[in-house]
Amino acid sequence: MAEEKPENNAAFFDPAAPPKPTRNKFATACSFLASMTSVLLGYDVGVMSGAIIYIQRDLQITDVQKEVIMGIFGLYALIGSAIAGRISDRVGRRLTIVFAGAIFFFGALFMGLATNYAFLMVGRFVAGIGVGHALMIAPVYTAEVAPASCRGLLLSFPELFINIGILLGYVSNLAFSKLPTNLGWRFMLGIGMFPSVLVVLVILVMPESPRWLIMQGRLREAKLVLERTSDSSEEVKSRLADIKQAAGIPDHCNDDVVAVPKQHHGEGVWRELFLHPTPSVLHIMLCATGIHFFQIASGIETVVLYSPEIFEKAGITNDTHKLLATMAVGFVKLMFILVATFTLDKIGRRPLILTSIGGCCVCLLVLATGLTFIQNSDHRLVWAIALCLVAILCFVAIFGMGMGPITWVYSSEIFPLRLRAQGCALAIASNRVTSALLTMTFISLYKAITLAGAFFLYAGFAAVAWVFFYTLYPETKGKTLEEMGSLFGTFFKWRSTVRALEEKKGDYNGHVQTGNTTTDHN
């Protein structure tokens, strides 16, 4: 028995034992830089929430025009993401990021120079195309670069940068709010050119995605990238073999450049997604589009984009106070996304997303209740105003801890290689269409059913989302991108599938351990 103790604890003292893997710094840096493209969406959302106050005063636009110019951006981004899916398969992930930054640059320039409503809409269209490119490419590139051990952390970067952009937009609003009305909003929108220039510059130090390189048959370049973005040499071999298999390249082909049997430039992908999807692909599509739909349907973009107006209805009427309260929303949301960023790979996707959407539902109910008291009172209710402010801050905090980053993580990691670019574009289409519908109808909605009624409605969406996630979404933490397909396809019965896979894996590991023990005794 005395001899067994060192043997049992050998893993703790044996210098030859494999060390605990550390976070891959190169993969982290690549993901960080690629995700900077997401700052473009965040900046536009944040800056428009304040700029629209001054645009309405300067251009004398109606509430309907206000809704359209704020909400239609989502539809423009939808067009951009649909185009970007095909472009990224043809020219690569890096060049698509360049396109995103360049297009947004001109959009911001046009908005800053706009002299009337029509000119401003042109700028919104161009900027929206650029944002659509950014939304699609950042999570796709990150998913393809990141090792499984820290993929959750790295895939949360796009949401992190969206919220950095939102906060920068809020700061821009406050900084230029004291300028003359006809100049202030133009500076707020035009200054967005600078983040887009930064996005283009960072491309110079980023490698191409290894999965895209293999899709082109460029094995040597892909192997070099995998060596720098993997945790071990064994993982390099495993990832390379899995991607080659997914791309249709025989395992024995190891030349620097090889012929790819079938070029994956989007041909047949839409047919596989829509006309003849397998149960696995159908389940994946349902999960990817569903999580993006419910992320927006919970009301987050309405709260962020219309924060000044919501605060005004809640009793905060001073412009500076509204902008400061709005900045608090952006700051709190950003801080709690940082919390989620470092817990995704430890806690897992399901616990965080279920806790987050459940908490959002409660916060929306509290906000709607506070607004109900305010709307039905003939005098100023300080406690109700405070309750609404706290409810909004809690809502964005709880959203940031789960629904915000996990939406991008989950939808980016579950698609197989051959469908990833177009699949992510489809998921983002769900996100942007829902965003456009909610933001373009928010003012009309709350005028029809009251502001409190609108948030009761969003709370209902959040409750439905909780049931949807609980029943359909398997845990993906720790799985490689090529293993994802085995988790999907049984829909509501995914738990039994996961159990069967774990039992099979356990039997395999037990067999391997038995074989190793036998060898040692020999």
Side-chain angles (χ1 to χ4, degrees), residues 442-514:
F442 178 67
I443 296 175
S444 301
L445 178 67
Y446 80 64
K447 285 183 176 179
I449 64 173
T450 75
L451 193 58
F455 285 108
F456 276 124
L457 177 64
Y458 297 150
F461 279 127
V464 173
W466 193 95
V467 176
F468 185 74
F469 297 148
Y470 181 79
T471 54
L472 277 173
Y473 285 60
E475 179 60 72
T476 58
K477 181 186 76 170
K479 300 290 189 297
T480 68
L481 295 180
E482 284 66 39
E483 289 175 338
M484 293 295 174
S486 60
L487 300 175
F488 296 87
T490 53
F491 298 93
F492 300 103
K493 299 178 180 179
W494 62 265
R495 290 173 179 80
S496 58
T497 302
V498 171
R499 281 195 296 269
L501 289 171
E502 289 176 349
E503 289 173 3
K504 183 178 179 181
K505 188 174 181 180
D507 291 343
Y508 173 78
N509 289 339
H511 176 73
V512 170
Q513 289 174 5
T514 302

Side-chain angles (χ1 to χ4, degrees), residues 420-458:
R420 187 165 299 133
Q422 281 85 354
C424 286
L426 180 65
I428 292 166
S430 171
N431 184 291
R432 293 296 87 199
V433 169
T434 309
S435 171
L437 289 175
L438 264 66
T439 54
M440 288 177 67
T441 60
F442 178 67
I443 296 175
S444 301
L445 178 67
Y446 80 64
K447 285 183 176 179
I449 64 173
T450 75
L451 193 58
F455 285 108
F456 276 124
L457 177 64
Y458 297 150

Side-chain angles (χ1 to χ4, degrees), residues 128-173:
I129 298 297
V131 163
H133 278 62
L135 280 177
M136 194 288 300
I137 199 59
V140 167
Y141 179 89
T142 302
E144 295 183 347
V145 167
S149 62
C150 59
R151 191 176 59 246
L153 165 69
L154 304 188
L155 276 171
S156 64
F157 284 172
E159 179 69 11
L160 176 65
F161 275 101
I162 287 175
N163 285 275
I164 290 174
I166 289 172
L167 191 55
L168 289 175
Y170 289 161
V171 171
S172 177
N173 288 336

Side-chain angles (χ1 to χ4, degrees), residues 8 48 103 125 128 165 250 259 282 289 365 417 497:
N8 291 337
M48 278 302 292
I103 295 169
F125 173 77
L282 195 59
T289 56
L365 290 173
L417 174 63
T497 302

Side-chain angles (χ1 to χ4, degrees), residues 100-276:
I103 295 169
F104 189 85
F105 175 89
F106 288 104
L109 178 63
F110 293 159
M111 289 190 290
L113 297 175
T115 55
N116 53 46
Y117 184 78
F119 194 171
L120 185 58
M121 284 291 283
V122 172
R124 298 288 285 162
F125 173 77
V126 176
I129 298 297
V131 163
H133 278 62
L135 280 177
M136 194 288 300
I137 199 59
V140 167
Y141 179 89
T142 302
E144 295 183 347
V145 167
S149 62
C150 59
R151 191 176 59 246
L153 165 69
L154 304 188
L155 276 171
S156 64
F157 284 172
E159 179 69 11
L160 176 65
F161 275 101
I162 287 175
N163 285 275
I164 290 174
I166 289 172
L167 191 55
L168 289 175
Y170 289 161
V171 171
S172 177
N173 288 336
L174 192 62
F176 297 113
S177 63
K178 300 302 181 182
L179 291 177
T181 301
N182 65 326
L183 292 178
W185 66 266
R186 289 182 170 87
F187 274 95
M188 294 173 190
L189 299 177
I191 205 75
M193 293 185 294
F194 293 99
S196 61
V197 171
L198 181 61
V199 164
V200 173
L201 290 177
V202 301
I203 303 305
L204 300 175
V205 294
M206 285 171 51
E208 183 53 86
S209 154
R211 285 178 171 82
W212 185 83
L213 290 171
I214 291 175
M215 286 164 62
Q216 311 308 306
R218 294 155 62 178
L219 296 189
R220 181 177 179 277
E221 295 174 64
K223 193 180 299 183
L224 291 174
V225 178
L226 286 172
E227 286 172 354
R228 301 189 69 184
T229 58
S230 299
D231 294 330
S232 65
S233 58
E234 290 77 14
E235 185 179 8
V236 173
K237 295 176 183 176
S238 175
R239 290 174 71 183
L240 182 63
D242 287 341
I243 303 170
K244 283 171 64 178
Q245 182 181 13
I249 299 174
D251 189 55
H252 61 81
C253 292
N254 293 303
D255 295 334
D256 290 351
V257 179
V258 301
V260 180
K262 180 180 180 182
Q263 290 293 324
H264 295 275
H265 292 318
E267 296 86 348
V269 169
W270 295 115
R271 190 182 306 114
E272 186 172 353
L273 286 172
F274 289 108
L275 298 180
H276 306 291

Side-chain angles (χ1 to χ4, degrees), residues 7-30:
E7 184 178 346
N8 291 337
N9 294 309
F12 295 99
F13 302 105
D14 184 3
K20 184 180 179 180
T22 57
R23 188 171 300 131
N24 188 293
K25 294 180 180 179
F26 186 74
T28 301
C30 292

